[in-house]
Amino acid sequence: MKSRRILFLIFLLILSLLIPRAMRAAGVSSQGAAGEKHHGFFPVSVWYTGGTVRAPMIEPVSDKSRAEWKKDLEQIKKLGFNTVRCWLEWAYNEKEEGKYDFSSLQLLTDLAAEVGLKVICQVYIDSAPEWVGKKYPESAFVASNDLRVHSQSSPGFCFDHPGVQEKILNFFSAAARAVKDKPAFYGWDLWSEPHIINWSEVYHLGDLRYVQFCYCPSSQARFREWLKKKYGTIDGVNQAWHRTFRNFSEVEPPRFGTILTYTDYVDWQEYISDKLAEDLALKARAIKKVFPESVVTSHSAIPGLFSRPSWDGTPDDRKMNDSVDYYGVSIYPKHAGAVRPWTPFFRSAGLDFVRSMSLKNQGFYVGELQAGYGVFGMKVSVPVTAADLRDWMWSMVAYGARAINIYAYYPMSSGYEAGGYGLIELDGQITPRAEEAGRIARTVSQNMDLFLKARLQSSQVAIVYNPLSHMVGGQQTFTSEGQPVGYNNLSESLQGVHRAFFERGIKVDFIHVRDLKDKAAGYRLLIAPYPVMISQPYVQDLVKYVEQGGTLLVEARAGWIDEKGFAFPVIPGGGLDKVLGCREARLLPIQKTGLMTISQSHPALPWLKPGDSLDTVFFEETFEITDKRASVLATSPDGQPMLVLATHGKGQALIAGSFLGSAYHHFRNPNNGKFLAGLAEWLGIKAEVFVKSRPESSVVEWRLLEGKDFRLLFVFNRGEEKTSATLTLARPWPGLELRNLETGEKILFNQDQNRMSFNLELEPQGVKVFLIKKV
């Protein structure tokens, strides 16, 4: 018996060693929830890799490098930052095949350790060495018009090519080996602003709105393998695409749309988002197999809310989060390419989207936060101020960021962004922006335990994000006015709905359709804007949500088109007509804006009365009532049902015969906002903090992070004039203390059993951070 026990213990020991190793090789953490083991540190960094060169360029190590770089790092530390974010460039660090030069990374990491900084490294593969193209000439990117991209360092070569992929993954592993024994090294960003093709304005290939990538032999072969997994047989592809291929070797990605079907285009776009996530996971594994303790991250160019799949192969933020410890975003509120600085509403919607797509990882990384004014050739942005950095940094923390990386320490020294985006001056002069950013970084470091243990409160309202809605019509996407669909119709609808709740302090999540099955039941109200194209399984998830007691609002033509690009026989489609107690009776195009009129008083319309009108846009859809349990709440100008509420199962659902969110985004009819946010009032969903500001026109935003026995309250003046405000918080604990986190000042407040309140003043663009804790 004793010998068996010993053998069993030996078996358990071996198993305990093998399982974590296998999990790491697969990119899976053995520490429980994703990111859990990395919550002991909150990086606040500046981008700097030695000298004044701009990313992704690297300054060669010289006899002067140690002294000059250490001087910069000491200044970064003195300002208050706890991390420096450097970078590697494939073109520089592997000039000859298999000969790696990581001397700059190693020296910088050693110097960072000497001054007390951690290191995060950005890895750039989009800038490739010349030998790659010579060895693998067939790996060049190929556009949908069959024109070949000749790399000029960027955009590099296609990752789908087996030889190129092997060399890239070897490069990642070699980089990990170079620093795996250095205590100051913390983590990686494996892919900056992922797309199929990066950094190259290849206008010579044609109109970039229609040119797609990549059509090289390796990419086409990989797409065929994806199709085999989805359809199994070539007959399955032929049936879906309306084609007559004899075998998979004949299949190519679509290059243009036809009148017959666009299932091929939907498949191509879905494949690209899957491929980007898979590529990121491969890079993560190449690091983790060598250096499993390091944090692996990546970040998108903008919040995915503002993007669409067809733009240069844009990633799906939700999918990308599955591939790394933390995924994140670049935030440039005053980018030179922007028509105007980001509004508070735009920024809030974007950050809530990034946060929501990252819930699995318990936070997100701000891969790049704008440090200085933007430059694009002769185009420059308005100046970035110290107040901007203060506002932006605290906003990132308040929305749940787990790292802030400021781009960049020095301004860009070359290229069409030369002179822009720097925290200090190119000659090393420290700016007020740098001093303010450093103060906030120091505050985060001094209170790191609080920020790491705090979590955002759960939302009771979620806005459904369904990326398939971008694809109605495939490549032939036109409005009723004959114009291509605007900048981003789905995004505008989502933003309009979000704004209605933002204005009333009601926190909302965005929920990706792929999460409906597991997470929808956690919300009391789901709103599905612009639901014109949706997969049948996700329709069933919405049906089940209502049947089990949820409240659902959908907009016009819900379930019009399925995931193959085919029309449902009845609209609302996929069974939603049974849930909503009605079916479409008439559809009219709207040239600009129309109206629907409230026809009755109803508890679902607490802030509206009969005769009030809501703006409509794009479509006017009216309904035939098919279930006596359905009620008409609003009508079209000629009196036809246009807003319908029905009970179904344990829940209830509404359909609006237009796009009220998009109309609110564009035209700001207060009644649209009252209708949308009024649904929360109807359901008893209240804001956690009530703000009464003076003047009343002030825009005061609050955010709460909660720990076990404390709260962090962030208050922002989003307006351009000084404001005073009274804040009232629900759910106060007995025996509270309220302090200004940055100054330590104790704040006087009033409290009873149900609430606490206090007064404050905020300068324009002012921010205050409070610690509420039990004593």
Side-chain angles (χ1 to χ4, degrees):
M1 291 292 291
K2 184 175 182 181
S3 62
R4 288 185 181 179
R5 187 178 303 162
I6 291 172
L7 287 172
F8 182 65
L9 290 173
I10 292 172
F11 170 74
L12 288 180
L13 176 61
I14 294 171
L15 199 63
S16 69
L17 294 173
L18 290 178
I19 288 177
R21 183 179 300 175
M23 292 174 72
R24 289 196 301 268
V28 179
S29 169
S30 60
Q31 305 294 322
E36 192 73 33
K37 66 177 179 177
H38 306 305
H39 287 172
F41 187 63
F42 191 123
V44 187
S45 83
V46 291
W47 283 61
Y48 172 83
T49 206
T52 60
V53 293
R54 66 152 299 154
M57 299 175 180
I58 296 173
E59 180 179 289
V61 176
S62 70
D63 294 339
K64 297 180 180 179
S65 295
R66 169 170 278 275
E68 292 176 352
W69 295 7
K70 187 171 184 179
K71 181 181 178 182
D72 280 338
L73 291 174
E74 288 173 337
Q75 181 62 62
I76 290 168
K77 175 69 174 180
K78 182 180 178 181
L79 283 168
F81 296 96
N82 60 29
T83 304
V84 62
R85 184 180 179 115
C86 63
W87 54 86
L88 293 175
E89 181 197 37
W90 192 22
Y92 178 88
N93 296 106
E94 193 184 355
K95 293 176 182 176
E96 296 182 46
E97 183 181 357
K99 295 182 179 180
Y100 305 110
D101 176 8
F102 297 121
S103 56
S104 61
L105 173 62
Q106 291 168 319
L107 174 58
L108 190 81
T109 305
D110 290 341
L111 294 174
E114 292 176 17
V115 303
L117 292 168
K118 294 285 188 182
V119 175
I120 295 175
C121 183
Q122 177 72 61
V123 185
Y124 288 109
I125 299 300
D126 314 276
S127 179
E130 302 298 332
W131 61 262
V132 179
K134 296 289 191 296
K135 184 167 185 172
Y136 306 113
E138 69 281 9
S139 69
F141 289 106
V142 177
S144 50
N145 57 10
D146 281 335
L147 292 178
R148 188 167 173 265
V149 177
H150 297 270
S151 181
Q152 299 171 184
S153 188
S154 69
F157 302 92
C158 185
F159 187 76
D160 294 338
H161 186 282
V164 172
Q165 185 176 121
E166 179 185 13
K167 298 303 179 185
I168 288 174
L169 298 180
N170 287 346
F171 181 79
F172 276 100
S173 296
R177 282 190 289 272
V179 293
K180 69 184 182 67
D181 296 322
K182 295 186 179 295
F185 194 89
Y186 180 70
W188 310 84
D189 189 303
L190 307 176
W191 201 350
S192 173
E193 303 180 349
H195 289 83
I196 296 295
I197 183 170
N198 274 16
W199 296 355
S200 296
E201 309 298 331
V202 286
Y203 296 110
H204 67 287
L205 298 181
D207 190 332
L208 295 186
R209 292 177 299 171
Y210 304 107
V211 172
Q212 303 174 71
F213 291 96
C214 175
Y215 289 74
C216 75
S218 297
S219 291
Q220 295 204 43
R222 187 170 172 182
F223 179 50
R224 292 182 192 112
E225 292 303 313
W226 185 90
L227 291 172
K228 287 178 184 178
K229 292 179 181 177
K230 178 171 182 176
Y231 291 106
T233 66
I234 194 64
D235 288 339
V237 176
N238 285 332
Q239 183 175 357
W241 287 20
H242 193 66
R243 302 293 290 274
T244 56
F245 300 119
R246 290 170 296 180
N247 52 63
F248 276 100
S249 66
E250 295 181 354
V251 180
E252 292 189 355
R255 300 170 189 267
F256 53 86
T258 73
I259 199 172
L260 304 174
T261 177
Y262 55 90
T263 309
D264 53 354
Y265 176 77
V266 174
D267 281 342
W268 177 235
Q269 294 300 327
E270 184 72 13
Y271 155 75
I272 287 173
S273 68
D274 283 351
K275 167 198 142 51
L276 291 171
E278 291 168 4
D279 290 353
L280 181 58
L282 287 171
K283 294 172 182 179
R285 290 178 194 137
I287 290 286
K288 289 284 192 178
K289 72 179 184 181
V290 176
F291 194 174
E293 298 80 15
S294 58
V295 181
V296 292
T297 74
S298 177
H299 66 280
S300 285
I302 55 175
L305 174 65
F306 308 136
S307 185
R308 51 188 299 156
S310 60
W311 290 351
D312 301 327
T314 297
D316 183 318
D317 289 0
R318 175 63 185 84
K319 292 180 182 179
M320 299 297 269
N321 268 280
D322 286 339
S323 299
V324 286
D325 294 318
Y326 292 103
Y327 194 68
V329 68
S330 290
I331 299 292
Y332 287 88
K334 290 186 174 181
H335 195 281
V339 176
R340 63 184 68 85
W342 290 11
T343 68
F345 313 103
F346 185 86
R347 190 199 323 168
S348 176
L351 290 177
D352 265 335
F353 184 87
V354 173
R355 173 189 60 78
S356 298
M357 297 302 107
S358 305
L359 287 175
K360 168 184 174 289
N361 293 339
Q362 302 178 34
F364 62 94
Y365 266 37
V366 182
E368 303 174 36
L369 178 63
Q370 184 173 358
Y373 74 97
V375 176
F376 190 96
M378 285 291 289
K379 186 176 181 180
V380 299
S381 74
V382 295
V384 173
T385 66
D388 287 331
L389 265 296
R390 177 175 173 77
D391 175 7
W392 299 345
M393 290 178 73
W394 279 129
S395 293
M396 304 303 114
V397 177
Y399 276 77
R402 284 292 177 259
I404 300 172
N405 300 275
I406 295 177
Y407 189 91
Y409 188 55
Y410 282 106
M412 303 299 95
S413 56
S414 63
Y416 54 69
E417 295 175 331
Y421 302 106
L423 191 63
I424 68 171
E425 303 296 348
L426 201 51
D427 64 359
Q429 180 176 322
I430 302 301
T431 65
R433 296 191 309 281
E435 292 171 338
E436 185 60 36
R439 276 192 289 269
I440 296 168
R442 185 178 294 108
T443 300
V444 171
S445 293
Q446 291 170 344
N447 298 277
M448 191 175 294
D449 192 53
L450 291 175
F451 290 113
L452 292 174
K453 289 181 179 179
R455 294 288 181 272
L456 287 158
Q457 297 170 293
S458 298
S459 301
Q460 298 183 68
V461 181
I463 305 170
V464 177
Y465 174 64
N466 172 33
L468 198 61
S469 284
H470 286 296
M471 301 185 199
V472 175
Q475 290 157 295
Q476 276 67 41
T477 310
F478 293 90
T479 69
S480 59
E481 298 170 327
Q483 299 298 320
V485 162
Y487 181 76
N488 194 327
N489 278 16
L490 173 60
S491 176
E492 291 168 353
S493 292
L494 294 166
Q495 289 179 63
V497 174
H498 182 276
R499 178 169 181 155
F501 290 91
F502 173 90
E503 291 172 335
R504 292 159 179 83
I506 299 171
K507 306 310 175 192
V508 299
D509 289 342
F510 290 92
I511 183 171
H512 196 291
V513 284
R514 69 187 305 200
D515 292 323
L516 285 172
K517 183 176 181 179
D518 296 328
K519 297 182 178 179
Y523 299 98
R524 296 181 60 197
L525 172 63
L526 285 187
I527 299 178
Y530 204 73
V532 290
M533 184 173 181
I534 186 167
S535 298
Q536 178 70 52
Y538 299 143
V539 174
Q540 295 311 305
D541 291 335
L542 294 175
V543 171
K544 183 178 178 181
Y545 167 76
V546 176
E547 289 175 343
Q548 293 181 344
T551 299
L552 172 68
L553 166 67
V554 296
E555 290 189 315
R557 305 226 91 187
W560 171 17
I561 305 293
D562 70 10
E563 65 270 28
K564 297 177 182 179
F566 286 67
F568 283 101
V570 176
I571 301 174
L576 285 174
D577 59 313
K578 300 294 189 291
V579 174
L580 292 159
C582 64
R583 61 181 292 164
E584 182 180 275
R586 183 185 70 190
L587 184 72
L588 297 176
I590 298 175
Q591 291 302 311
K592 186 175 181 181
T593 182
L595 294 174
M596 70 165 65
T597 303
I598 301 300
S599 56
Q600 64 163 298
S601 296
H602 193 280
L605 308 172
W607 298 330
L608 296 171
K609 62 183 185 301
D612 286 344
S613 62
L614 281 66
D615 282 345
T616 58
V617 70
F618 204 31
F619 289 151
E620 177 188 290
E621 181 187 32
T622 58
F623 304 103
E624 173 191 343
I625 303 302
T626 58
D627 191 318
K628 62 183 180 181
R629 292 172 297 179
S631 300
V632 177
L633 304 185
T635 58
S636 64
D638 64 350
Q640 300 304 305
M642 204 168 170
L643 178 62
V644 177
L645 166 67
T647 58
H648 183 79
K650 298 178 181 179
Q652 53 208 337
L654 302 94
I655 185 167
S658 192
F659 302 108
L660 302 183
S662 184
Y664 193 51
H665 173 77
H666 285 287
F667 308 121
R668 305 281 191 274
N669 181 340
N671 287 340
N672 286 52
K674 290 178 181 179
F675 166 68
L676 292 164
L679 296 175
E681 177 74 11
W682 171 42
L683 298 173
I685 300 169
K686 304 287 187 180
E688 184 76 8
V689 178
F690 175 75
V691 179
K692 184 175 182 179
S693 58
R694 298 166 293 277
E696 290 185 2
S697 59
S698 302
V699 180
V700 176
E701 180 188 5
W702 61 269
R703 304 290 296 191
L704 267 177
L705 298 177
E706 283 201 6
K708 183 178 180 181
D709 56 1
F710 69 92
R711 293 178 185 174
L712 293 167
L713 173 64
F714 304 79
V715 188
F716 303 88
N717 180 3
R718 300 303 191 192
E720 298 180 356
E721 57 183 338
K722 185 175 181 178
T723 185
S724 58
T726 300
L727 275 73
T728 303
L729 284 73
R731 300 190 301 113
W733 296 304
L736 290 180
E737 180 180 89
L738 176 66
R739 288 187 181 274
N740 184 308
L741 184 70
E742 295 179 278
T743 67
E745 176 191 1
K746 191 172 183 179
I747 309 299
L748 297 177
F749 61 92
N750 299 314
Q751 182 176 354
D752 58 29
Q753 287 185 337
N754 300 314
R755 59 188 180 182
M756 66 171 290
S757 61
F758 66 98
N759 300 317
L760 78 163
E761 291 188 347
L762 288 168
E763 296 296 326
Q765 207 178 1
V767 186
K768 290 189 177 180
V769 184
F770 299 99
L771 172 62
I772 307 169
K773 65 178 183 178
K774 296 179 182 179
V775 292

